[in-house]
Structures are given as structure tokens and as C-alpha cells.
Amino acid sequence: MKYLDEFSDPVLARKLVDQIHATVTQPWAMMEVCGGQTHTIVRHGIDQLLPDGVEMIHGPGCPVCVTPLEVIDKALEIASQPGVIFCSFGDMLRVPGSGRDLFRVKSEGGDVRVVYSPLDALRVAQQNPDKQVVFFGIGFETTAPPNAMTVYQAKKLGIPNFSLLVSHVRVPPAIEAIMQSPSCRVQGFLAAGHVCSVMGTAEYPELADKYGVPIVVTGFEPLDILAGILRTVSQLEQGEHVVENAYRRAVRDEGNPAAKAMLADVFETTDRAWRGIGMIPQSGWRLSERYREYDAEYRFQVRDIDTQESTVCRSGEVLQGLIKPHECSAFGTLCTPRNPLGATMVSSEGACAAYYLYRRLQTPAPAEAVATSG
């Protein structure tokens, strides 16, 4: 990508790190609410370059990871039925349900297909009118507009054999749930730039005021993250708590009006369970009444499936920022990318996967030692 190297410039990165060190006078804890940002932080050792006492808490920003177990089991039930073509992005196929995953369903004869766009699934439905085609629609506000557009197109074109299994979640209610937790240590947030590119920043000032936390909209490259951290600690040091947009090359305060209009037409807000966290009021979307006929939960009558989370996997605590991945006794032993116990080890944006991939197998070294090594 043109100009991408500019956002990884080591000289500029060192200047930002030095500015952060010069600004900080006391310990602070902030949370990034995006799995892509988590991977950037861990891959480049950004958290290890920060001043002593300044902690990055990894939040529930991985859409695959927060998809609840009951929805995975609903997907498995639907995909196992005869006459169904179940379409999904590839990262969902290895997410474990209660007893198996979509790869297992495929190996047992289920027609499970990896697609690269929900519109690909709609084309599959057009090409297979004698089959029921289901697309697994998960994710935050970022992936919701194309899924909404696909359902809109299915209705407009009169494609009756297409449906959507919906597990969309919204970031602002999750931030509120985190701040309301008795164990919350978060003092500031790095907000996900791609979410804000769709929804804008209008929902965040109320949260910043209500909980006294700075919220800085941040990108995904190393310099984006460091600039976001600098702005956040600067606010914390000055006793401020406002919303800042540090990702103006991609985010407008009003967001994307066309995408928001499509979401308002096709979806309606609903209470949504988050894997490992529990129910968060009004934190998700479901298909609105006028598009309910395309809702796979209703079409296949799987709305009443209930499940129990694993007692060994501590991914819920990881998603809440209560522990780091290597603090789970199963991490790297019973739970690996090849044999995952939870979604945080499967997803390309999961915190456990990041810690395993970049060999964060124990507590990080002190910042000073890392900053001067090599």
C-alpha cells in the first residue's frame, strides 16, 4: 500500500516513544478496543516500550472472539442440515462450538464454503435455487453494512433461498459495560478507527463525560498506535476526558451516512451476548421486522439453543482485560492454534493468538530493558 512505510518509520516511532516518556508522571492503564490494534501492539512490542506502570489492556475487539458459543452452535446445527449451503469467512471455520467446529461439519459431509464477501454467498444462492444458502454474518460496525446490503439486495432481487445468521455487536455499549464492571481498571480508550469510519464519533462524547475517560480514535499502524497513546496519556496527565480523532485520514466525525442509512433500514438494535462476557443490553443488531424472513435463526428454528462455556478456557477474562493470555494455565499447552480451546486462540485478531504467534509466553520484560536492547 502506498505510504504504508511512513506509518512504521522507526525514527518517528522513537520520537513518539520519547514524547510519551516525557509526558507520563504516574501509572496509567488504557484499553485498545480492536484486535487489529492488539496485534500491532504485540508484534512491534509497543507495550514494552512504554514507561513503567503504563499498561495496555487488550479489550474485546476481536469479532470472531466475542461471537457467543450459542451462536456457533446454531451455525453448526444449520450447517449440518441437508439441503443447506453454509457460507462463512474462513476464520470462523475453526472456532470451537460445544463439541465440534465447521471444519468437522464439512468433513462429515456438510456443504460448508469459504467466501470472501457476503455478496459471494448471495451469488451462490442464485446459482443453487434448490438449496438454502446461509451466510454467517458476524462482526462489529465495520462488517455490518455489507451484510445489511446483501440482505437488502436479496429482498430487492427476490432471492428467497438466502438467509443471514446474524451476530453483529456494537462497540459503545461494550465500553459502557467495561466501565461499569467492579473490576474495571481502564482509564482511557483507543477507539477503533475502522468502526468510527462507519459510525463516526457521535456516540463517544457521552461515554467520555459519564465515566471521565479520554477516548482517542486511532488507526492500526505502529505510529497510529503510538500517537493515540500519546494523546491519551496527555489527557490523563492533564485531567481531561474528551474524544479526539487521531485518524482523520480515514474517519469523519459524522461517519459514513450511506452506510448508516443502510444499517438503520435493515437492522435494529437488540441485547446481545458476548462470548466470555455475557449479555450486554442493546449491544447488537438483528434483522428488522421487514427483513425478518431472511433471518436464519427464524428460518431454521434454532433460536432456543443454549450452551455452557468451557471451565478450562479463560478467554472471557482475556476479553474483559482482566488477565493477559499467558496468565491462563492452558495457554500454549492445552490450548494452541492447532488445538484451540477458545476463539481468542483461533482468530487472526485474537489476543491469545497474538501472544502465541509473537512468543509472549511470560510476563513482558521491563520497558527500560526492552527499549535499550539490541
Side-chain angles (χ1 to χ4, degrees):
M1 182 183 295
K2 191 176 182 183
Y3 307 129
L4 187 60
D5 288 346
E6 295 179 7
F7 295 97
S8 302
D9 188 315
V11 176
L12 294 178
R14 172 49 65 185
K15 288 181 179 179
L16 284 168
V17 169
D18 290 344
Q19 286 181 271
I20 292 169
H21 278 261
T23 301
V24 169
T25 64
Q26 57 185 299
W28 300 110
M30 68 198 81
M31 174 179 281
E32 80 277 3
V33 195
C34 171
Q37 291 174 345
T38 298
H39 272 251
T40 297
I41 289 167
V42 176
R43 177 185 179 186
H44 296 278
I46 289 173
D47 53 334
Q48 296 178 326
L49 298 174
L50 300 178
D52 289 342
V54 175
E55 181 185 0
M56 297 305 303
I57 299 174
H58 312 313
C62 163
V64 174
C65 304
V66 301
T67 302
L69 185 60
E70 64 188 50
V71 174
I72 301 298
D73 282 355
K74 289 175 183 179
L76 296 170
E77 174 65 23
I78 294 170
S80 301
Q81 295 189 21
V84 169
I85 301 175
F86 194 89
C87 299
S88 172
F89 294 141
D91 54 1
M92 293 304 299
L93 267 64
R94 295 189 60 244
V95 178
S98 295
R100 53 182 179 164
D101 56 27
L102 286 168
F103 265 131
R104 175 65 64 85
V105 172
K106 184 176 178 67
S107 71
E108 293 171 350
D111 194 345
V112 177
R113 305 186 188 184
V114 173
V115 295
Y116 298 95
S117 162
L119 289 172
D120 291 342
L122 192 60
R123 281 190 286 272
V124 172
Q126 289 176 300
Q127 294 162 2
N128 296 271
D130 59 329
K131 303 282 189 179
Q132 286 291 326
V133 177
V134 182
F135 179 72
F136 200 176
I138 72 156
F140 291 94
E141 293 94 331
T142 319
T143 55
N147 290 343
M149 173 60 77
T150 303
V151 174
Y152 173 85
Q153 288 291 335
K155 186 178 181 70
K156 181 180 178 181
L157 297 173
I159 304 174
N161 62 319
F162 174 83
S163 59
L164 188 70
L165 180 60
V166 184
S167 187
H168 279 300
V169 289
R170 301 172 56 240
V171 169
I175 290 178
E176 181 139 34
I178 289 165
M179 293 308 302
Q180 290 176 346
S181 170
S183 55
C184 177
R185 298 183 295 112
V186 179
Q187 297 164 293
F189 287 92
L190 302 184
H194 50 10
V195 169
C196 295
S197 70
V198 175
M199 303 303 296
T201 59
E203 293 182 272
Y204 294 101
E206 182 179 351
L207 293 170
D209 288 339
K210 183 176 181 179
Y211 297 104
V213 291
I215 300 177
V216 179
V217 180
T218 309
F220 309 93
E221 300 304 319
L223 296 188
D224 288 323
I225 302 294
L226 288 168
I229 292 171
L230 177 58
R231 292 196 188 204
T232 304
V233 296
S234 296
Q235 283 198 49
L236 289 168
E237 290 283 339
Q238 295 167 22
E240 297 176 351
H241 49 270
V242 299
V243 176
E244 288 189 65
N245 184 357
Y247 196 43
R248 290 198 175 274
R249 70 181 187 273
V251 173
R252 297 180 298 177
D253 291 339
E254 69 273 20
N256 185 322
K260 291 164 68 174
M262 179 60 63
L263 292 172
D265 177 39
V266 176
F267 290 130
E268 62 187 21
T269 57
T270 185
D271 299 344
R272 180 70 72 186
W274 294 51
R275 189 168 194 170
I277 298 175
M279 186 67 68
I280 301 178
Q282 296 299 293
S283 66
W285 277 309
R286 65 182 178 187
L287 290 175
S288 61
E289 186 64 37
R290 61 184 301 216
Y291 294 95
R292 193 62 49 81
E293 63 188 296
Y294 294 96
D295 191 323
E297 286 194 42
Y298 286 85
R299 183 172 295 189
F300 294 93
Q301 300 181 357
V302 294
R303 299 183 64 215
D304 296 328
I305 290 179
D306 294 314
T307 55
Q308 294 294 322
E309 297 279 356
S310 166
T311 57
V312 177
C313 176
R314 299 178 69 186
S315 60
E317 293 169 83
V318 173
L319 290 168
Q320 295 176 70
L322 301 178
I323 65 170
K324 296 293 193 292
H326 56 69
E327 295 176 287
C328 174
S329 60
F331 175 78
T333 55
L334 297 175
C335 182
T336 66
R338 186 178 289 271
N339 295 291
L341 292 179
T344 48
M345 185 61 88
V346 175
S347 171
S348 60
E349 294 189 1
C352 295
Y355 272 59
Y356 191 92
L357 177 62
Y358 300 116
R359 313 310 292 165
R360 292 290 191 87
L361 307 181
Q362 57 188 2
T363 302
E368 245 183 68
V370 175
T372 56
S373 66

